[in-house]
Amino acid sequence: VVVVVFVVFLVTRSEDTYQLFANPVTEDIAPMYFQIIKRPMDFGTMTKQLVSYPSPAEYRNDLTQVFDNCSTYNQPDSMIHREGERVRKAAYKIFEKERKKMEKEAKKLRREAARGSSGQQHQLQQQQQQ
């Protein structure tokens, strides 16, 4: 879980080339922000809780909040809005890629565990027949 979150985090941070989402928004740079946005979120805040996310889904919720806040506050034709959408797409793309890798690994582990348990059952049956 932590590895997936960390990989997505690194890619997302690197995509934020203008550092628009790196720190909490202030009223100085975004007047009336807190009257419009009820749940602020930024990459800096997410960094502080990076290892405590209980699941990739919880991390994705905060990531989504960053971009939803961006598109709610900023005009669709603004550079910040467009940049937010670009970074969102890149983040979701890597998130999906990492999720698929994690699912594939989980399936592999389940198959190996199933083979191991059926092999143990077979050995137990052979021992009981002796």
Side-chain angles (χ1 to χ4, degrees):
V1 170
V2 174
V3 173
V4 171
V5 168
F6 192 67
V7 168
V8 174
F9 170 77
L10 288 176
V11 171
T12 304
R13 289 281 306 240
S14 70
E15 285 292 329
D16 184 18
T17 52
Y18 299 107
Q19 304 259 310
L20 297 173
F21 312 107
N23 298 300
V25 175
T26 65
E27 289 277 335
D28 292 339
I29 60 171
M32 297 177 41
Y33 187 79
F34 298 103
Q35 293 168 332
I36 298 168
I37 301 301
K38 301 304 178 201
R39 187 173 171 257
M41 186 54 62
D42 62 275
F43 296 163
T45 300
M46 292 172 69
T47 301
K48 292 175 187 168
Q49 56 196 48
L50 198 57
V51 295
S52 63
Y53 281 105
S55 70
E58 292 296 320
Y59 175 80
R60 186 179 171 129
N61 289 343
D62 280 352
L63 192 61
T64 297
Q65 191 67 51
V66 171
F67 302 124
D68 287 352
N69 291 348
C70 175
S71 41
T72 297
Y73 182 81
N74 297 286
Q75 296 296 319
D77 61 341
S78 71
M79 184 279 276
I80 295 172
H81 188 282
R82 288 191 309 270
E83 188 64 9
E85 289 304 309
R86 186 191 68 74
V87 177
R88 179 194 307 251
K89 285 178 188 172
Y92 287 1
K93 183 177 179 180
I94 189 67
F95 197 95
E96 187 61 21
K97 179 181 173 187
E98 291 302 313
R99 185 189 64 75
K100 284 179 181 178
K101 281 177 22 182
M102 190 172 72
E103 282 181 3
K104 185 177 179 181
E105 186 62 27
K107 280 182 184 178
K108 180 181 171 187
L109 291 173
R110 283 193 297 272
R111 280 195 309 272
E112 289 173 2
R115 270 189 248 136
S117 67
S118 66
Q120 290 171 347
Q121 288 174 354
H122 180 69
Q123 286 177 345
L124 185 60
Q125 287 172 350
Q126 285 181 336
Q127 288 173 355
Q128 289 173 347
Q129 290 173 356
Q130 294 177 352

